[in-house]
């Protein structure tokens, strides 16, 4: 056991699991082979022993809330930005390979052909993982350990922007709404998506279209609020700077918009819309 595990803050973080709501998982994903099962079991044991707070997310969380069991080859572990380096260091000291794939949001722990992701933010900068994620988490039993699992509210948030040519998580979003709507904190979800409320509206309309008999699973007040925002927005003049927020979904798919067509990226400058003669003061 690590010498630093006994620190009061880390003991408190570990003890906090006992106060979280316990949930029985509806299903678990299937791992691709026996070696993957051994890797996941060993990695989970090391994560628990590290004493560093983490959340189980990704396919494991989707299965837990929806009952959908599908193949997976790895784990998605969420943590605070301040803890991701500690998790990587813990595994490096135990002979695992580590990679910092993107210092803005993602590290990896690797052994042979198996790995798990250590995620501490959204790839597009919209999703910092902080204390609130842990305050609202659940706990489940996995491989003989009590571990934290991401709440359905944050699980939806974590998937709203995964819309690439080769991967789309909208199906996960609507399935979580369908199967865990009564556990979603809708006000908190709106707060998470405040600046990008249109993305939330699109997912909710997608849910209504897919499940017409289940429209009551989304509260009326939320749809009214989003549609009222849309109505108010339609009364505004067009933005003066050409903007493409598509790269928040996929940097590759919308690269041409920024590099050749004069649209501003999520940050930075772009061209002025046709008809705007000069930069406004």
């Amino acid at each position: 056991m690590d010498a630093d595990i006994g620190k009061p803050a880390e003991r408190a973080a570990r003890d906090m699991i006992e106060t979280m709501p316990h949930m029985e998982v509806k299903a678990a994903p299937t791992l691709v082979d026996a070696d993957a099962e051994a890797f996941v079991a060993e990695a989970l044991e090391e994560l628990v022993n590290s004493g560093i707070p983490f959340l189980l997310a990704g396919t494991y969380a989707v299965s837990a809330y929806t009952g959908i069991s599908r193949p997976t080859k790895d784990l998605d572990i969420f943590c605070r930005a301040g803890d991701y380096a500690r998790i990587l260091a813990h595994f490096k000291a135990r002979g695992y390979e580590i990679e910092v794939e993107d210092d803005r949001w993602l590290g990896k722990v690797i052994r042979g052909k198996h790995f798990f992701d250590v995620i501490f933010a959204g790839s597009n900068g919209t999703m910092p993982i902080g204390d609130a994620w842990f305050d609202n988490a659940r706990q489940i039993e996995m491989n003989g350990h009590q571990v934290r699992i991401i709440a359905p509210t944050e699980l939806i948030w974590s998937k709203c922007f995964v819309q690439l040519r080769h991967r789309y998580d909208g199906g996960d979003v609507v399935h979580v709404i369908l199967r865990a709507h009564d556990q979603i904190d809708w006000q908190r979800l709106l707060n998470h998506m405040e600046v990008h409320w249109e993305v939330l509206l699109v997912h909710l309309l997608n849910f209504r279209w897919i499940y017409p008999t289940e429209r009551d699973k989304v509260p009326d007040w939320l749809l009214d609020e989003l549609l009222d925002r849309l109505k108010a927005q339609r009364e505004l003049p067009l933005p003066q700077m050409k903007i493409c927020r598509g790269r928040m979904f996929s940097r590759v798919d919308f690269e041409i918009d920024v590099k050749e067509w004069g649209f501003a990226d999520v940050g930075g400058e772009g061209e002025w819309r046709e008809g705007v003669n000069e930069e406004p003061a």
Side-chain angles (χ1 to χ4, degrees):
M1 183 177 291
D2 291 352
D4 62 350
I5 289 177
K7 292 179 180 178
E10 292 184 354
R11 285 204 309 272
R14 175 177 279 179
D15 293 343
M16 189 177 67
I17 297 179
E18 303 304 322
T19 67
M20 292 178 178
H22 186 275
M23 61 170 282
E24 296 295 329
V25 301
K26 292 179 179 176
T30 57
L31 289 158
V32 293
D33 54 40
D35 288 343
E37 291 182 8
F39 171 79
V40 167
E42 184 181 276
L44 190 69
E45 182 86 18
E46 285 293 349
L47 283 163
V48 171
N49 288 341
S50 75
I52 304 169
F54 69 91
L55 294 167
L56 193 63
T59 302
Y60 279 84
V62 171
S63 294
Y65 287 110
T66 67
I68 297 170
S69 183
R70 66 190 186 206
T72 187
K73 61 183 183 298
D74 63 353
L75 285 168
D76 283 340
I77 297 301
F78 284 14
C79 68
R80 299 176 182 89
D83 284 331
Y84 106 93
R86 296 186 179 104
I87 290 175
L88 295 188
H90 176 87
F91 280 87
K92 181 180 179 181
R94 282 148 185 81
Y96 291 77
E97 295 178 57
I98 61 170
E99 288 182 356
V100 180
E101 184 169 313
D102 191 327
D103 200 45
R104 295 169 294 184
W105 71 285
L106 175 65
K108 288 183 180 292
V109 173
I110 306 161
R111 175 157 286 175
K113 64 179 181 178
H114 301 294
F115 68 93
F116 70 85
D117 290 332
V118 182
I119 299 167
F120 54 90
S123 61
N124 56 22
T126 63
M127 193 186 72
I129 296 170
D131 290 345
W133 291 63
F134 290 85
D135 294 341
N136 294 293
R138 313 301 199 249
Q139 61 167 316
I140 64 169
E141 192 278 331
M142 182 175 172
N143 289 29
H145 299 287
Q146 293 298 316
V147 298
R148 301 175 185 86
I149 187 169
I150 186 175
T153 308
E154 282 70 34
L155 178 58
I156 290 174
W157 186 22
S158 74
K159 290 182 169 292
C160 274
F161 289 92
V162 183
Q163 301 188 40
L164 299 88
R165 188 183 314 167
H166 62 279
R167 181 181 171 187
Y168 172 67
D169 280 5
D172 287 344
V173 171
V174 297
H175 280 135
V176 173
I177 293 173
L178 178 69
R179 300 284 285 165
H181 60 92
D182 56 339
Q183 301 178 59
I184 297 168
D185 185 329
W186 294 101
Q187 183 60 60
R188 196 166 80 244
L189 181 59
L190 178 59
N191 292 343
H192 288 324
M193 300 289 292
E194 179 66 35
V195 177
H196 307 295
W197 58 269
E198 290 161 291
V199 177
L200 178 58
L201 176 58
V202 168
H203 281 293
L204 297 183
L205 292 176
N206 195 35
F207 175 83
R208 288 170 58 86
W209 184 83
I210 293 171
Y211 299 113
T213 60
E214 312 302 317
R215 292 170 181 162
D216 60 343
K217 301 297 188 289
V218 175
D220 288 340
W221 70 261
L222 178 57
L223 201 59
D224 289 343
E225 168 65 22
L226 295 174
L227 291 175
D228 187 63
R229 293 185 185 195
L230 182 62
K231 181 178 183 298
Q233 185 197 62
R234 292 180 65 194
E235 301 300 319
L236 298 176
L238 290 175
Q240 293 183 315
M241 182 173 289
K242 293 169 58 177
I243 298 167
C244 176
R245 289 185 293 213
R247 280 165 65 90
M248 296 181 74
F249 294 140
S250 169
R251 290 193 295 270
V252 173
D253 293 335
F254 294 93
E255 183 177 41
I256 191 171
D257 302 76
V258 174
K259 291 191 173 181
E260 297 185 25
W261 294 349
F263 286 88
D265 207 338
V266 179
E269 298 291 325
E271 297 176 1
W272 297 105
R273 178 173 50 81
E274 186 176 354
V276 178
N277 295 324
E278 61 183 38
E279 182 176 343

